[in-house]
Amino acid sequence: MKVIILSAGQGKRLLPMTATLPKCLLPVQGKTIIEWQIDELHKCGIDDITVVVGYNADKVKNLLRQRYGSTRIGTCCNPDYATTDNLISCWMAREEMTDDFILLNGDTLFEAPIVEQLLNAPAAPITVTINLKDSYDTDDMKVSLDGSRLLHVGKDIPPDKVDGESIGMILFRNTGPQLFRDGLEKARADQSCSRRWFLSVIDEIAGQDTVSTCSIKGLAWCEVDFPADLEQAERIVAAHFHRQEEMEALPVS
């Protein structure tokens, strides 16, 4: 299984912390966000990883090289990161999307069981990982469902139509990669494509009845957009690894 991580952006809402560092290099409990992502993926046996870089790309590449070796983690670049959104980062990585893969936002922190649950979800061309909670704010990437089938995904879904939120982790299998690449090609013809999220392509594909969802309610994850999110990430990661330490301390039966 391949994973493509979208980490091209600066993260301006986290300034001044991102004045010289891209968001993916911000530290959480002693490691950068991207290290937490890659290490959790490795726990799931996933080693085929490509990171889309942009802002201060050399700093990201240097970290990846120092931590994981010169050839273990691939990179590709979105040179227009400052004036485009993540749909263009996906476009830059489209040649990596030939076989089954997971697409992951560079600001989503998650524990390994989330990836395992997604990989074990019922087969569908595209599976959107979702979380369920009691209420949703204007910045949440909300979803509307028919059972487990995705009807719509976006920030502007009316409150009475919201059934969950996308956590920024999507699995493409079988015909899914080609469907997504075709959707990216179509989106490129739109003059506003530079400011679109890649999930707008998923929203359009959902009308073909090919997009399913996988709920990870109760598992540990967070999205880092604001300083308060970074504080929450510190708490979640600390609690997650505290549980791991307790499990490792248990005697083997």
Side-chain angles (χ1 to χ4, degrees), residues 41-52:
L41 291 170
H42 284 169
K43 290 177 185 178
C44 302
I46 296 173
D47 293 314
D48 189 355
I49 299 170
T50 296
V51 179
V52 182

Side-chain angles (χ1 to χ4, degrees), residues 11-243:
K12 291 183 178 180
R13 291 181 290 188
L14 285 158
L15 286 168
M17 290 180 285
T18 55
T20 59
L21 286 177
K23 184 195 297 189
C24 67
L25 293 190
L26 291 178
V28 177
Q29 290 287 314
K31 288 197 298 190
T32 65
I33 291 173
I34 197 162
E35 285 177 283
W36 284 119
Q37 291 181 312
I38 292 171
D39 291 348
E40 293 301 293
L41 291 170
H42 284 169
K43 290 177 185 178
C44 302
I46 296 173
D47 293 314
D48 189 355
I49 299 170
T50 296
V51 179
V52 182
V53 296
Y55 178 67
N56 275 339
D58 286 344
K59 291 186 176 181
V60 182
K61 292 179 181 179
N62 288 339
L63 180 278
L64 296 175
R65 183 166 53 250
Q66 292 168 9
R67 176 72 200 282
Y68 301 105
S70 60
T71 60
R72 192 171 181 190
I73 308 295
T75 60
C76 68
C77 186
N78 175 7
D80 300 320
Y81 66 86
T83 57
T84 64
D85 220 309
N86 62 20
L87 187 152
I88 300 302
S89 286
C90 287
W91 173 258
M92 296 297 179
R94 65 193 183 280
E95 298 303 323
E96 302 287 337
M97 302 174 181
T98 55
D99 298 309
D100 294 0
F101 72 98
I102 293 172
L103 187 60
L104 175 63
N105 283 344
D107 58 7
T108 300
L109 278 168
F110 55 90
E111 59 177 333
I114 287 179
V115 180
E116 294 167 351
Q117 190 151 312
L118 176 60
L119 292 173
N120 289 324
I126 302 173
T127 305
V128 177
T129 312
I130 64 169
N131 182 51
L132 310 178
K133 58 185 183 182
D134 295 332
S135 62
Y136 303 88
D137 61 40
T138 56
D139 202 52
D140 289 334
M141 190 61 73
K142 295 170 279 289
V143 299
S144 180
L145 307 176
D146 178 10
S148 62
R149 184 170 67 86
L150 183 77
L151 298 177
H152 292 289
V153 56
K155 292 187 177 184
D156 58 352
I157 295 175
D160 62 334
K161 301 293 185 182
V162 175
D163 297 304
E165 64 176 329
S166 167
I167 75 165
M169 181 186 293
I170 321 290
L171 172 60
F172 299 83
R173 289 180 283 197
N174 301 318
T175 60
Q178 188 61 54
L179 282 170
F180 188 55
R181 288 180 56 161
D182 290 346
L184 290 174
E185 292 275 0
K186 179 181 176 182
R188 285 286 289 169
D190 181 353
Q191 292 184 348
S192 66
C193 69
S194 64
R195 304 310 304 173
R196 286 177 60 182
W197 298 301
F198 77 82
L199 280 169
S200 66
V201 174
I202 301 298
D203 184 65
E204 293 174 352
I205 296 172
Q208 304 176 32
D209 297 342
T210 55
V211 184
S212 186
T213 58
C214 171
S215 171
I216 50 87
K217 185 177 181 180
L219 296 176
W221 79 283
C222 68
E223 182 182 38
V224 180
D225 279 323
F226 300 97
D229 298 333
L230 204 55
E231 295 172 5
Q232 181 187 27
E234 292 276 350
R235 294 191 296 270
I236 288 174
V237 169
H240 168 56
F241 279 90
H242 179 64
R243 291 200 306 271

